[in-house]
Amino acid sequence: MHAELIAVARNPQYRHFWVANILSNGAIWIQNTTSSIALTHLSTSAVVNSLVQVAATLPFLLFGILAGQVGDKYSKPLVLTVAQLSLGLVSLTLAAATWWGLLSPALLVGVTAAFSVATVFRMPVAQAGIALTVPRDQVRHAAVLNNLGFNIARAVGPAIAGSLLLALAYFQVYLLTAAMLLAVAAYFLYGFYHERNTTTEQTEFISFRDTWKHIYTSTLFRRCTFDACILFFAGSVIWSMMPFIAKYHLNQSTAGQGSLMGATGLGALLTVVVLPAVLKFRRNHHSYWLCYSLMISSIAAIWLSSHLTLIFVALMIFGLSWSMAVTLLNGEIQSSFLRQMLSRVIAIYLIVMYLAQAAGSLWAGLVSQFFETRAALMCSVVVLALGLGLRTLMFASTDDDKE
């Protein structure tokens, strides 16, 4: 497995695409984390604080299918360029509003939703685009590296946001993310002109009806979406409520909030070490059992303990489990369908994934508001345990099927 990953990494076209995706995803996570922390200083309501995560995920439900259709029908570098420009302009708008003192909970949630709409059109194409940079026999390993890069960005982004807020004002952080996003837009614009000048063959466009038939009959897709629903619904309690828990239950400063969220990043970076060993498991369900078990144990530790060091370690374990789940699930999806329909397949999968996160975030906020945050953590542990039992019953005979 190491040799295959190294071979993919040596491909300069893929490597440049990979770095651009890390920069863009990193900027997105810096901005979303900064907005989550800013909201804790604007409102003490658990429900309002959870709405940033809801606003960041719900647009996938509304625009996901359209984004996949656009990504498969039009030039992928062009779609990525427009999406990146939109992201950069939204960041600039938020920076200006913050500079003028107009920042409020409603504005922050609304701008986060607009930011997420642009992200919707970017993500399926960014994931499907790897098939254009490597030979078909390397797509699976390229997908693993691509998702590892996404998790590195998700891991490092919150930590960078917390560190930047020690020295910079909110509007300065938003300006920095805008600059990163616009720089990546320039790279993809270059890729569009290069593609237009060098591409001579036309690929056949597969209708949405035929694409849906492939998805509907795919046991692998059903299994992956089931795991996405359970893992990302239950795990969203950490992403949506951890800044709130850190401030109001652990009495942490802005730096402390960023450090605790950064712990998930450190855990995700461990995927670089753990994932190659996990991929050697002879059966897929062993890998997913490990993801479920790590997530259950980490959330349970945060639920049952108030010791800061233990919570930090638990967040690292959570980051590792989330990162492995995203990488394994996305890798299976990206390597199992034709590239002519891949953007739409990924878009539908992302709808399920982000709908689960939006529902989980809102549920965690409501439970925390009317009961307490420990009750929300307890519910997540129960959902994960029940989900693990159900997947064992439902997919035991098909866990290792390949499409």
Side-chain angles (χ1 to χ4, degrees), residues 10 63 71 78-79 86 106 155 224 245 262 270 280 283 287 290 376 378 383 394 396:
R10 285 177 175 170
F63 302 102
L78 177 60
V79 174
S86 301
C224 288
I245 294 171
L270 292 177
K280 292 179 182 178
R283 293 186 177 275
S287 303
L290 180 60
M378 180 188 69
V383 168
M394 295 170 60

Side-chain angles (χ1 to χ4, degrees), residues 36-372:
S36 294
I37 292 174
L39 193 55
T40 65
H41 295 274
L42 296 172
S43 173
T44 59
S45 167
V47 173
V48 172
N49 274 270
S50 70
L51 286 180
V52 164
Q53 186 69 10
V54 175
T57 54
L58 196 56
F60 280 86
L61 173 64
L62 303 176
F63 302 102
I65 292 177
L66 176 62
Q69 190 82 354
V70 169
D72 279 333
K73 191 169 185 178
Y74 299 102
S75 162
K76 287 179 170 57
L78 177 60
V79 174
L80 287 170
T81 300
V82 174
Q84 289 291 145
L85 284 172
S86 301
L87 288 167
L89 291 175
V90 172
S91 292
L92 287 174
T93 301
L94 187 54
T98 306
W99 169 256
W100 288 325
L102 301 176
L103 198 62
S104 67
L107 178 65
L108 197 56
V109 171
V111 173
T112 299
F115 192 76
S116 183
V117 170
T119 306
V120 170
F121 284 88
R122 180 193 175 280
M123 285 193 67
V125 183
Q127 294 191 27
I130 64 172
L132 303 177
T133 64
V134 296
R136 184 169 179 80
D137 62 342
Q138 292 185 343
V139 168
R140 181 171 182 269
H141 301 100
V144 170
L145 276 181
N146 191 58
N147 288 293
L148 185 58
F150 173 83
N151 285 298
I152 289 173
R154 180 165 198 163
V156 175
I160 292 176
S163 300
L164 288 174
L165 289 173
L166 293 176
L168 302 177
Y170 289 119
F171 85 91
Q172 292 173 313
V173 176
Y174 292 136
L175 282 176
L176 177 61
T177 59
M180 294 170 66
L181 292 165
L182 292 174
V184 175
Y187 166 76
F188 285 132
L189 181 62
Y190 168 79
F192 165 65
Y193 280 107
H194 177 74
E195 177 192 64
R196 191 177 65 173
N197 293 331
T198 58
T199 300
T200 56
E201 61 174 307
Q202 298 291 324
T203 57
E204 180 184 358
F205 180 75
I206 300 175
S207 70
F208 187 80
R209 177 179 294 181
D210 290 336
T211 300
W212 180 252
K213 286 180 181 178
H214 278 81
I215 294 172
Y216 182 77
T217 58
S218 171
T219 302
L220 180 145
F221 189 86
R222 288 197 297 273
R223 172 169 54 80
C224 288
T225 51
F226 175 87
D227 284 323
C229 285
I230 299 298
L231 289 165
F232 302 139
F233 175 89
S236 290
V237 67
I238 299 299
W239 299 115
S240 62
M241 298 309 302
M242 202 59 222
F244 183 84
I245 294 171
K247 180 174 177 61
Y248 293 107
H249 292 269
L250 301 175
N251 300 315
Q252 294 297 298
S253 63
T254 298
Q257 289 174 289
S259 297
L260 284 173
M261 294 305 293
T264 61
L266 293 176
L269 292 177
L270 292 177
T271 310
V272 178
V273 178
V274 176
L275 187 62
V278 170
L279 290 173
K280 292 179 182 178
F281 288 170
R282 297 184 64 181
R283 293 186 177 275
N284 277 342
H285 71 266
H286 292 160
S287 303
Y288 290 107
W289 265 79
L290 180 60
C291 292
Y292 275 88
S293 300
L294 289 175
M295 193 172 290
I296 289 171
S297 62
S298 61
I299 297 177
I302 298 169
W303 161 34
L304 297 171
S305 175
S306 298
H307 195 280
L308 198 59
T309 302
L310 180 59
I311 290 176
F312 189 90
V313 173
L315 286 170
M316 287 182 62
I317 296 172
F318 172 81
L320 173 62
S321 64
W322 184 284
S323 174
M324 285 200 304
V326 171
T327 301
L328 290 168
L329 290 169
N330 289 10
E332 285 199 89
I333 294 291
Q334 291 177 36
S335 61
S336 301
F337 293 89
L338 296 173
R339 67 175 62 182
Q340 293 93 328
M341 64 173 69
L342 192 54
S343 290
R344 283 165 289 176
V345 174
I346 292 173
I348 293 171
Y349 165 74
L350 288 175
I351 289 173
V352 175
M353 174 182 174
Y354 282 95
L355 179 59
Q357 290 186 54
S361 298
L362 184 58
W363 168 256
L366 289 171
V367 173
S368 298
Q369 181 74 23
F370 293 105
F371 298 95
E372 60 176 353

